[in-house]
Coordinates of all heavy atoms in Angstrom, one line a residue:
A460 N -10.3 -16.1 -0.1 CA -10.8 -15.4 -1.3 C -10.6 -16.2 -2.5 O -9.6 -17.0 -2.6 CB -10.0 -14.0 -1.5
P461 N -11.4 -16.1 -3.5 CA -11.2 -16.8 -4.8 C -9.9 -16.4 -5.4 O -9.6 -15.2 -5.4 CB -12.4 -16.5 -5.7 CG -13.0 -15.3 -5.0 CD -12.6 -15.3 -3.6
L462 N -9.1 -17.3 -5.8 CA -7.8 -17.0 -6.2 C -7.8 -16.9 -7.8 O -8.4 -17.7 -8.4 CB -6.7 -18.0 -5.8 CG -6.6 -18.2 -4.2 CD1 -5.5 -19.2 -3.9 CD2 -6.4 -16.8 -3.6
V463 N -7.1 -16.0 -8.3 CA -7.0 -15.9 -9.8 C -5.8 -16.7 -10.3 O -4.8 -16.7 -9.6 CB -6.7 -14.4 -10.1 CG1 -6.5 -14.2 -11.6 CG2 -7.9 -13.5 -9.6
A464 N -6.0 -17.4 -11.3 CA -4.9 -18.2 -11.9 C -3.8 -17.3 -12.4 O -4.1 -16.2 -12.9 CB -5.5 -19.1 -13.1
V465 N -2.6 -17.8 -12.3 CA -1.5 -17.0 -12.8 C -1.6 -17.0 -14.3 O -1.9 -18.1 -14.9 CB -0.1 -17.7 -12.4 CG1 1.0 -17.0 -13.1 CG2 0.0 -17.6 -10.9
P466 N -1.5 -15.8 -15.0 CA -1.7 -15.9 -16.5 C -0.6 -16.8 -17.1 O 0.4 -16.9 -16.6 CB -1.5 -14.4 -16.9 CG -1.5 -13.7 -15.6 CD -1.3 -14.6 -14.5
A467 N -0.9 -17.2 -18.4 CA 0.0 -18.1 -19.0 C 1.4 -17.5 -19.2 O 2.3 -18.2 -18.9 CB -0.6 -18.5 -20.4
A468 N 1.4 -16.3 -19.6 CA 2.7 -15.6 -19.7 C 3.1 -15.1 -18.3 O 3.0 -13.9 -18.0 CB 2.7 -14.4 -20.7
A469 N 3.6 -16.0 -17.5 CA 3.9 -15.7 -16.1 C 5.0 -14.7 -16.0 O 5.0 -13.9 -15.0 CB 4.2 -16.9 -15.3
A470 N 5.8 -14.6 -17.0 CA 6.9 -13.6 -17.0 C 6.4 -12.2 -17.1 O 7.1 -11.3 -16.6 CB 7.8 -13.9 -18.3
A471 N 5.2 -12.0 -17.5 CA 4.6 -10.7 -17.6 C 3.9 -10.2 -16.4 O 3.4 -9.2 -16.4 CB 3.6 -10.7 -18.8
V472 N 4.0 -11.0 -15.3 CA 3.4 -10.5 -14.0 C 4.3 -9.4 -13.5 O 5.5 -9.5 -13.4 CB 3.3 -11.7 -13.0 CG1 3.0 -11.2 -11.7 CG2 2.4 -12.8 -13.4
P473 N 3.7 -8.2 -13.2 CA 4.4 -7.1 -12.7 C 5.1 -7.5 -11.3 O 4.4 -8.1 -10.5 CB 3.5 -6.0 -12.6 CG 2.1 -6.7 -12.5 CD 2.3 -7.9 -13.3
R510 N -4.6 -10.5 -0.8 CA -4.6 -12.0 -1.1 C -4.4 -12.4 -2.5 O -3.6 -13.3 -2.9 CB -5.9 -12.7 -0.5 CG -5.9 -12.7 1.0 CD -7.2 -13.3 1.4 NE -7.3 -13.2 2.9 CZ -8.4 -13.0 3.6 NH1 -9.6 -13.0 3.0 NH2 -8.4 -12.8 4.9
A511 N -5.1 -11.7 -3.4 CA -5.1 -11.9 -4.8 C -3.7 -11.7 -5.4 O -3.2 -12.3 -6.2 CB -6.1 -11.2 -5.5
A512 N -3.1 -10.5 -4.9 CA -1.7 -10.2 -5.3 C -0.7 -11.3 -4.9 O 0.1 -11.6 -5.7 CB -1.3 -8.9 -4.7
R513 N -0.9 -11.9 -3.7 CA 0.0 -12.9 -3.3 C -0.2 -14.2 -4.3 O 0.7 -14.8 -4.7 CB -0.3 -13.4 -1.9 CG 0.1 -12.4 -0.9 CD 0.4 -13.0 0.5 NE -0.9 -13.5 1.2 CZ -1.7 -12.9 1.8 NH1 -1.5 -11.6 2.0 NH2 -2.8 -13.4 2.4
A514 N -1.5 -14.5 -4.6 CA -1.8 -15.6 -5.4 C -1.2 -15.4 -6.8 O -0.8 -16.4 -7.5 CB -3.2 -15.8 -5.5
L515 N -1.1 -14.2 -7.3 CA -0.6 -13.9 -8.7 C 0.9 -13.9 -8.7 O 1.5 -13.9 -9.8 CB -1.2 -12.5 -9.1 CG -2.6 -12.5 -9.6 CD1 -3.1 -11.1 -9.7 CD2 -2.7 -13.2 -11.0
G516 N 1.5 -13.9 -7.5 CA 3.0 -13.9 -7.5 C 3.6 -12.5 -7.6 O 4.8 -12.3 -8.0
I517 N 2.8 -11.5 -7.3 CA 3.3 -10.1 -7.3 C 4.2 -9.9 -6.2 O 3.8 -10.2 -5.0 CB 2.1 -9.1 -7.3 CG1 1.3 -9.2 -8.6 CG2 2.6 -7.7 -7.0 CD1 0.0 -8.5 -8.5
D675 N -11.7 -6.3 -7.0 CA -11.6 -7.6 -6.4 C -10.5 -8.4 -7.1 O -9.7 -7.8 -8.0 CB -12.9 -8.4 -6.5 CG -13.5 -8.5 -7.9 OD1 -12.7 -8.1 -8.9 OD2 -14.6 -8.9 -8.0
A676 N -10.4 -9.7 -6.9 CA -9.3 -10.6 -7.4 C -9.5 -10.5 -9.0 O -8.4 -10.5 -9.7 CB -9.5 -11.9 -6.9
E677 N -10.6 -10.6 -9.5 CA -10.9 -10.5 -10.9 C -10.3 -9.3 -11.5 O -9.7 -9.3 -12.6 CB -12.3 -10.8 -11.2 CG -12.6 -11.2 -12.6 CD -14.1 -11.3 -12.9 OE1 -14.9 -11.5 -11.9 OE2 -14.5 -11.1 -14.0
A678 N -10.6 -8.1 -10.8 CA -10.2 -6.8 -11.4 C -8.7 -6.8 -11.3 O -8.0 -6.2 -12.4 CB -10.8 -5.7 -10.5
L679 N -8.0 -7.3 -10.4 CA -6.6 -7.3 -10.3 C -6.0 -8.2 -11.4 O -5.1 -7.8 -12.0 CB -6.1 -7.8 -8.9 CG -4.5 -7.7 -8.7 CD1 -4.1 -6.2 -8.8 CD2 -4.1 -8.3 -7.5
G680 N -6.7 -9.3 -11.6 CA -6.3 -10.2 -12.6 C -6.3 -9.6 -14.0 O -5.4 -9.7 -14.8
A681 N -7.4 -8.9 -14.2 CA -7.5 -8.1 -15.5 C -6.5 -7.0 -15.7 O -6.0 -6.8 -16.7 CB -9.0 -7.5 -15.5
A682 N -6.2 -6.4 -14.6 CA -5.1 -5.3 -14.6 C -3.7 -5.9 -15.0 O -3.1 -5.4 -15.8 CB -5.1 -4.6 -13.3
V683 N -3.5 -7.1 -14.3 CA -2.3 -7.8 -14.6 C -2.2 -8.2 -16.1 O -1.2 -8.2 -16.8 CB -2.0 -8.9 -13.6 CG1 -0.9 -9.8 -14.1 CG2 -1.7 -8.4 -12.2
A684 N -3.3 -8.7 -16.6 CA -3.4 -9.2 -17.9 C -3.2 -8.0 -18.9 O -2.5 -8.1 -19.9 CB -4.7 -9.8 -18.2
A685 N -3.8 -6.8 -18.6 CA -3.6 -5.6 -19.4 C -2.1 -5.2 -19.4 O -1.6 -4.8 -20.4 CB -4.5 -4.5 -18.8

Side-chain angles (χ1 to χ4, degrees):
L462 302 182
V463 177
V465 176
V472 172
R510 285 178 188 150
R513 291 204 292 277
L515 283 164
I517 293 166
D675 57 11
E677 198 184 332
L679 184 67
V683 166

